[in-house]
Amino acid sequence: MKRVHILLGATLALTSAWAVAQDAPESLLPPGFDKPSRPARSTPAPAPKSGESAPAATSSVVQAIPGVSTSSAPRTAVTLPANIPSLRELEAMSPDELDQLLGLRPKYDIPPGARRSLKQIGILSQGEGGFPAGSMSGQNPGLVRAMLTGNNGQMVSRWGHILLRRALASRMDAPAGMNPADFAGMRAALLVRMGEGDAARALVQDVDAANYSPLLTQAALDAFVATGDITGICPAVALQGGVRKDADWTIARAICASFGGEGAAGMTQLDRALSQQIWPKIDVLLAQKYAGAAGKARRAVTVEWDGVEGMNPWRYALTIATGLEPPAALMRDAAPRYDYVTATAPMVGLPARAAAADRAAAAGVLSGQAMVDLYGQIYAQDDISDEWSARAEALRAAYAGDGADAQLAAIRQLWDGATDPQRRYGRQVLTAYAAARLPVNGGMANDAPELIASMLTAGLDRNALRWAPVADSGSQAWALLTLVAPARSGVSASAVENFYGDDNSDEYRKSRFLLAGLAGLGRIDAATTQSLASKMDVDLIAPTSWTRAIDGAAEVNNAALVAMLAGLGMQGEGWDKMTPRYLYHIVSALNRVGLGAEARMIAAEAVARG
C-alpha cells in the first residue's frame, strides 16, 4: 500500500502523456535544472524612500491557505487525465505493471558496450559450416517470407531436414527492407516446427531482448516452450510487460514474476487465470506447479489427468519440466514433434528418450552418434532393465560381437524390432557405424542394401562403396552405390531398366526416384533420360513456379536459397508425397551450387526409402 499511496500523489501532477510507459526514464527536475547556467551577478535591491514601507515578501514555495484566494484572478479548475487507474486497480497491479505505468521500465537491460548488432544473426558462421552471410541480403523479402512461413516443418527426407537446419541456423543478414528481428523470428519459428527446439532457442538468444519484434517474441516464446525452458522468455517479458494480453503471455508473465522474486504475486496471477478460465484447468495447474518451485510461495499442487484430451506444446513442456510423465494414452496419438522434444530433453528419463529416439533419428533431429551415446548411458545404468537394457546389449554386440556373423545378427535384431518403416529407418541410423565396421563378405550380399542404407544415414559413403564388388548390376545395392559415388559417369540404360524390371515398390517409386537422381546428378545424358522417363511414364521437366524458383537460385549460385527452397519442396509425411520431378530439380540444383554431397545423399535416401 505504501507504493500505491506514493503513486497516487505523483499521479495528480501528471499529464495524460505520463499515463503511458515511456521509452526511457524521464527527468523529475524542473525545466532548466538539467542544463545549469552560470549564476548572474546579484544587484542589491534599492533601499525604500523615506516614508515608504518595504514591500511584503512573497514566495512561490509558501503553501496558500485552503479556501483563501491570494489573487483576484479567476481560479482555473484542474482536469485530471482520464486514464488514471483507480485505487482498486493500482492495488491489483504487479510491480512490473507499476513500473510500466510510471515509465520506469528501461528499453535496454544490458550496457551499451555489450549490446549486439542485428547484422548476421545466427549460430553457424561460414567458417563453422554455415552459409555465406550475404546469401539472403539481396533477395526479395516477399519470397523469403513466403518460403519460410510456407514450410510446415515436416519433411520426407532426413538429409533434407539436416540441410535446412544448417541453412536456418547460419549467420546471415536479413533481406534488404526486412526487419532483421523478423527474419530471425521466421527462421526460429520454422526450426520449432521442425522439432529443432534447441537450435531455435540458440537462434533467438543471439538477439538482445530489447530488439525483439512481435514476430520474434512469439518465436522465442515457442522456442523456450519447445525445450521446456519456460523462464527463458523472462528477459523479453520484463522489457515488454503488458504489451500483450493473450493467455499464453499472461501465464508467462505470472511464471516470470514467481521466478523473479515475486512469488506471491505470480501465484495470485495464476489463481486469477484459473478462475477466469483463460486456459484449460490442467494447464493452469501445471503452470502453478512449475511456478510454485520458486521462492517462498511454494504450494502443493495436485495434477489430475482425468477427462483431459489431447496434448499441446505448453501442456507437454510444463509436464516434463515439473518432473511428471504425460499419460501414455495422450501420447499414443500425439504428433511426431513430441517425440523430437522428448528425445532431446535432458529432464526426461532415459527409457522415454530411447522410445522417442527412433522417430527423431529418422527425421534428422538425432545423429547416429547421439543415438549411440543415448544407448551407452542406458547400458551403464544397472537400474534400467527389460527391453531397453536388451536393446543396449544388442547394440554392444553389433559393435563387439564374436565375429561378423554375430555382429550382423545383432544389427538385424535391432532393425527387426521396429514397429513401422519410419522407426526401422531410425534403427538404421542407430547401427550406421556398426554396419561400417563389418568386413565385405559375399555371403552377406542379401543384406548389402540395408547395410549400405544404414551407413548412408550417417554419410559414410566411403565405407559403403567398399561393398561395390558384391553389388550386382541393377540391384538396389548397385543403385545406392551408383548414386552416392563422388564421381560416376556412363551409367548404362540397361542397368536402370533391370532395376525397373525387378522393382516391386508402389507405382515403381524407387525406379522413378533412381532416374530422377541420376538425371539430377548428370550421370545419364538427356536422350537416355527422356527414353527412360517415357518408359516409366514420368515427366521430370514440366515447370512450376517452385521449379522455376529453385532453378533460378541455382543459376545465380545461391546455395542457401537453394537449400531453403529444397526444404519447401520436400514437405510431407513420407516419401510417397515426393514426386520424381521435384526430386530431380532438388538434386540438380544442389549439385550445381556445390552441395553435391547433400544431393547424393538425398537421392540415395529416396531410393532406399521409396
Side-chain angles (χ1 to χ4, degrees), residues 20-224:
V20 295
Q22 304 294 317
D23 289 338
E26 292 281 351
S27 173
L28 300 181
L29 297 175
F33 274 71
D34 55 340
K35 296 181 180 178
S37 59
R38 185 181 301 277
R41 182 173 299 176
S42 60
T43 303
K49 297 180 180 179
S50 176
E52 292 182 357
S53 59
T58 59
S59 173
S60 60
V61 299
V62 176
Q63 177 66 45
I65 299 175
V68 178
S69 175
T70 59
S71 171
S72 59
R75 300 175 63 185
T76 303
V78 177
T79 303
L80 297 177
N83 54 354
I84 293 180
S86 66
L87 180 59
R88 184 182 300 275
E89 291 172 330
L90 291 170
E91 290 176 336
M93 284 185 178
S94 64
D96 64 315
E97 289 173 323
L98 292 174
D99 290 342
Q100 183 181 9
L101 180 64
L102 284 172
L104 300 179
R105 186 181 305 281
K107 182 177 180 180
Y108 291 94
D109 61 343
I110 53 179
R115 296 172 192 168
R116 290 170 293 182
S117 169
L118 288 176
K119 287 184 64 63
Q120 299 183 13
I121 298 170
I123 55 180
L124 274 180
S125 69
Q126 188 173 0
E128 297 168 322
F131 288 93
S135 298
M136 295 291 118
S137 58
Q139 301 307 313
N140 185 322
L143 170 64
V144 174
R145 183 179 297 272
M147 181 175 59
L148 295 176
T149 60
N151 193 325
N152 64 20
Q154 187 170 8
M155 275 159 283
V156 301
S157 170
R158 165 182 164 79
W159 279 105
H161 176 108
I162 293 169
L163 176 62
L164 181 58
R165 177 182 62 202
R166 175 182 157 201
L168 296 173
S170 296
R171 297 188 63 83
M172 288 190 288
D173 293 322
M178 178 182 285
N179 184 341
D182 284 350
F183 182 50
M186 285 184 281
R187 287 189 285 157
L190 178 50
L191 284 168
V192 170
R193 294 195 296 274
M194 293 169 61
E196 296 286 353
D198 290 328
R201 178 176 61 179
L203 181 61
V204 301
Q205 288 178 325
D206 197 46
V207 182
D208 293 340
N211 292 325
Y212 277 19
S213 65
L215 193 157
L216 180 55
T217 299
Q218 183 60 53
L221 182 59
D222 293 340
F224 289 118

Side-chain angles (χ1 to χ4, degrees), residues 195-526:
E196 296 286 353
D198 290 328
R201 178 176 61 179
L203 181 61
V204 301
Q205 288 178 325
D206 197 46
V207 182
D208 293 340
N211 292 325
Y212 277 19
S213 65
L215 193 157
L216 180 55
T217 299
Q218 183 60 53
L221 182 59
D222 293 340
F224 289 118
V225 169
T227 54
D229 181 15
I230 312 298
T231 54
I233 195 63
C234 291
V237 168
L239 289 171
Q240 298 184 29
V243 171
R244 288 175 49 169
K245 303 295 183 182
D246 57 282
D248 290 355
W249 192 254
T250 299
I251 298 298
R253 292 183 67 193
I255 290 174
C256 290
S258 297
F259 280 86
E262 298 289 342
M267 296 304 287
T268 299
Q269 294 174 47
L270 290 174
D271 289 339
R272 191 185 311 154
L274 185 63
S275 64
Q276 294 176 352
Q277 299 181 348
I278 67 171
W279 252 23
K281 180 180 178 181
I282 181 66
D283 296 340
V284 179
L285 291 176
L286 288 168
Q288 288 180 331
K289 188 173 184 66
Y290 183 87
K296 299 180 180 179
R298 295 180 179 177
R299 181 193 302 181
V301 179
T302 301
V303 178
E304 297 181 354
W305 293 92
D306 295 342
V308 177
E309 297 180 358
M311 186 58 66
N312 63 57
W314 272 93
R315 184 174 300 166
Y316 188 72
L318 289 168
T319 299
I320 62 174
T322 52
L324 300 178
E325 185 175 344
L330 293 183
M331 299 305 299
R332 191 172 298 117
D333 298 323
R337 63 173 294 172
Y338 297 104
D339 277 340
Y340 306 161
V341 173
T342 302
T344 57
M347 71 283 284
V348 176
L350 292 175
R353 291 179 61 189
D358 290 340
R359 292 173 79 177
V365 175
L366 284 184
S367 67
Q369 187 60 57
M371 290 277 281
V372 172
D373 289 346
L374 174 60
Y375 278 98
Q377 295 179 62
I378 292 174
Y379 183 81
Q381 296 290 326
D382 295 332
D383 57 342
I384 298 178
S385 58
D386 300 331
E387 62 176 304
W388 311 113
S389 177
R391 198 175 298 172
E393 290 279 0
L395 182 62
R396 184 177 185 279
Y399 275 92
D402 187 12
D405 291 339
Q407 293 169 17
L408 177 60
I411 290 174
R412 293 207 64 88
Q413 176 185 341
L414 290 168
W415 292 347
D416 296 339
T419 57
D420 58 58
Q422 186 185 33
R423 286 184 171 86
R424 184 182 181 86
Y425 187 69
R427 299 288 178 85
Q428 289 184 329
V429 177
L430 173 64
T431 60
Y433 292 94
R437 292 163 60 94
L438 288 175
V440 177
N441 187 335
M444 299 179 182
N446 291 336
D447 297 298
E450 286 194 287
L451 289 171
I452 292 169
S454 179
M455 288 181 255
L456 296 181
T457 64
L460 303 175
D461 54 345
R462 292 185 179 181
N463 299 82
L465 288 168
R466 295 187 300 115
W467 288 80
V470 299
D472 294 334
S473 178
S475 66
Q476 180 160 320
W478 166 86
L480 296 177
L481 296 178
T482 300
L483 289 169
V484 300
R488 179 71 182 265
S489 61
V491 177
S492 68
S494 60
V496 179
E497 290 173 344
N498 289 339
F499 183 87
Y500 176 58
D502 294 335
D503 186 4
N504 57 5
S505 61
D506 292 343
E507 300 179 345
Y508 299 101
R509 189 177 298 122
K510 288 179 180 288
S511 297
R512 292 174 170 178
F513 285 164
L514 173 61
L515 173 62
L518 291 173
L521 292 169
R523 299 190 174 177
I524 51 177
D525 57 39

